Amino acid sequence: MLKPPHPIARAAYSLAMSVNPNNHALDGGRASSAMEVEAVAALAKMFSWPQHLGHLSSGGTFANLEALWIASQLAPGKKIAASDQAHYTHSRISGVLGLPFVSVPTDPTVRMDLAVLEDLLQAGDIGTVVVTLGTTAIGSVDPLDQILALQKRYPFRIHVDAAYGGYFTLASNLSPEARRAYDAIPQVDSIVIDPHKHGLQPYGCGAVLFRDPAIGRFYKHDSPYTYFSSKDLHLGEISLECSRAGASAVALWATQRLLPYTHNGDFARGLDSGHSAALELNRRLASDPRFLAPLAPPQLDILFWAARAPQTRPTPETSSALAQRIFDEAAGLDLHLALATLPIRFFPAGSFPGHATGTVTCLRSVLMKPEHLAWIDPIWQRLDQATTRALQF
Ligand SMILES: Cc1ncc(COP(=O)(O)O)c(C=O)c1O
């Protein structure tokens, strides 16, 4: 998941860094603190929140930690539920916070299984459901609209982990199911989005947003040696982290001025193009007998597929070994793919005769740069060449 920061972000970050502002207290960075407030408001506006409480963080892990910490304050001791494709950080954070964690299986389209979730909710001990919009491995989108509907029958909080996929709310070419999930975001309780993933920022820039500004009461603390210069809000008063790079806020703010978060703007078109690239690569993979495409087409700009030797009966073992060889050969051709071990149930029934359960090592690609769409032909040629070589092995 690498995307170079935009040149304006690099320039703004390095100019600000010469002062090295610290957004903990206002004295540490008056301008950079004001920029952070505006930059976070732009994120909240993108999700149609008229009011919010939020701040930048060092990344998605810490932002999710804060969201689950607030969840733990509101429903002490209750369980955190997240899908088995959610980022592993949620179970680790639950452990850090001393909260019980339950993993909800995904269905064959790699979205949280609602029937299982409802069974769990019936037991009455789930405090918060983490809904992932853009899973790390394959960019799948949980059915947020349907999970919200369950709130009519069961009391629970919804935290959206959109660290990877949040900006796709601006995309114009999502599938109808993904669009419905994104359109439901305004009704959730908290959101994490990482500008250092799809927001063209250098690392060290995540964000957490809460719909109800009143949760600020949980952050209340005193620091006689920190917040003395002004009655205005010091960002450290609404954040668990203390010192934070003000330069991150300056870079994000400057990028937002150049590339505002508007539907059909240049920034949104970059996201559309990554999704189109993933759909096109998936189309080619699905029609090539050397590959197995999953049941569900890519929801965002990440895709995965399995490998198979034509005219043979694929087993998870032979497929996984072939994927590893293609991965190695592709790297030799400067095509840098990834590997991911994923459940066989994500592929059409009978893809691995005699194997309905278990896992297979898949090839995976994250087409997150707008240039990827223009590069689909060379990418395909190299994949073709790498696969031919791997099959001769
Ligand atoms: C969905 C999701 N949540 C959380 C994280 C963790 O974010 P970070 O690596 O910025 O701490 C990631 C990272 O890839 C992610 O994809």
Side-chain angles (χ1 to χ4, degrees):
M1 280 182 185
L2 290 178
K3 185 160 168 166
H6 192 278
I8 192 145
R10 280 186 259 164
Y13 194 104
S14 50
L15 282 172
M17 205 174 53
S18 57
V19 184
N20 202 21
N22 180 347
N23 277 9
H24 181 197
L26 281 172
D27 329 60
R30 284 191 177 270
S32 56
S33 293
M35 286 166 161
E36 175 165 334
V37 170
E38 288 185 25
V40 172
L43 290 169
K45 187 164 169 236
M46 179 174 81
F47 294 122
S48 304
W49 275 359
Q51 55 174 19
H52 68 281
L53 186 93
H55 60 85
L56 299 182
S57 68
S58 55
T61 302
F62 218 96
N64 276 303
L65 172 86
E66 294 205 20
L68 297 191
W69 170 67
I70 290 294
S72 75
Q73 300 297 302
L74 289 163
K78 288 225 170 180
K79 284 184 186 154
I80 304 290
S83 95
D84 60 16
Q85 290 297 309
H87 196 280
Y88 67 84
T89 197
H90 295 288
S91 63
R92 291 224 296 196
I93 291 170
S94 300
V96 169
L97 295 171
L99 294 174
F101 176 84
V102 54
S103 175
V104 186
T106 39
D107 65 18
T109 65
V110 203
R111 302 186 310 155
M112 189 185 280
D113 189 319
L114 293 178
V116 180
L117 176 64
E118 183 154 11
D119 281 349
L120 290 165
L121 289 168
Q122 268 167 4
D125 55 358
I126 305 277
T128 298
V129 176
V130 176
V131 178
T132 309
L133 300 189
T135 57
T136 316
I138 62 173
S140 59
V141 174
D142 281 337
L144 175 60
D145 48 321
Q146 295 172 61
I147 296 170
L148 267 161
L150 290 170
Q151 278 185 325
K152 294 201 180 84
R153 293 202 288 282
Y154 311 96
F156 64 98
R157 198 176 158 80
I158 296 185
H159 167 60
V160 164
D161 183 359
Y164 184 78
Y167 283 109
F168 277 90
T169 194
L170 297 172
S172 62
N173 58 358
L174 296 181
S175 69
E177 315 86 73
R179 188 72 263 166
R180 279 196 298 275
Y182 277 92
D183 287 348
I185 291 181
Q187 298 167 65
V188 307
D189 298 292
S190 52
I191 307 171
V192 161
I193 177 168
D194 272 358
H196 72 196
K197 293 192 170 65
H198 261 300
L200 302 168
Q201 298 308 298
Y203 283 114
C205 193
V208 60
L209 308 172
F210 297 96
R211 184 158 60 114
D212 177 11
I215 59 95
R217 67 187 183 280
F218 293 112
Y219 284 96
K220 216 166 164 36
H221 63 284
D222 198 14
S223 175
Y225 43 84
T226 310
Y227 312 123
F228 51 81
S229 64
S230 160
K231 293 266 175 276
D232 290 347
L233 181 76
H234 300 257
L235 287 162
E237 291 180 285
I238 54 156
S239 150
L240 286 187
E241 281 174 283
C242 298
S243 295
R244 280 191 298 106
S248 291
V250 177
L252 181 60
W253 184 93
T255 311
Q256 290 174 345
R257 298 278 96 50
L258 186 70
L259 296 166
Y261 300 152
T262 50
H263 292 273
N264 299 316
D266 285 346
F267 182 79
R269 274 198 290 277
L271 299 162
D272 284 352
S273 123
H275 180 46
S276 298
L279 288 176
E280 175 56 20
L281 192 52
N282 189 62
R283 189 189 65 73
R284 295 184 190 201
L285 290 161
S287 56
D288 190 312
R290 299 170 300 172
F291 305 118
L292 273 169
L295 269 171
Q299 295 295 301
L300 304 181
D301 55 2
I302 306 179
L303 76 165
F304 69 101
W305 65 99
R308 69 170 166 198
Q311 277 105 44
T312 61
R313 202 178 144 91
T315 67
E317 292 73 26
T318 56
S319 176
S320 299
L322 183 56
Q324 179 70 57
R325 288 205 299 278
I326 296 173
F327 171 81
D328 293 336
E329 293 291 349
L333 296 166
D334 268 343
L335 174 65
H336 299 284
L337 299 171
L339 293 167
T341 303
L342 293 165
I344 283 171
R345 67 172 194 280
F346 294 168
F347 291 91
S351 293
F352 298 96
H355 297 84
T357 57
T359 57
V360 59
T361 304
C362 299
L363 289 153
R364 167 175 171 269
S365 185
V366 183
L367 299 168
M368 72 189 298
K369 298 174 189 153
E371 311 83 275
H372 274 129
L373 183 56
W375 270 75
I376 282 296
D377 281 337
I379 288 172
W380 182 251
Q381 282 153 14
R382 288 176 203 204
L383 178 61
D384 174 51
Q385 213 181 333
T387 308
T388 305
R389 288 185 190 175
L391 284 166
Q392 284 162 358
F393 188 75

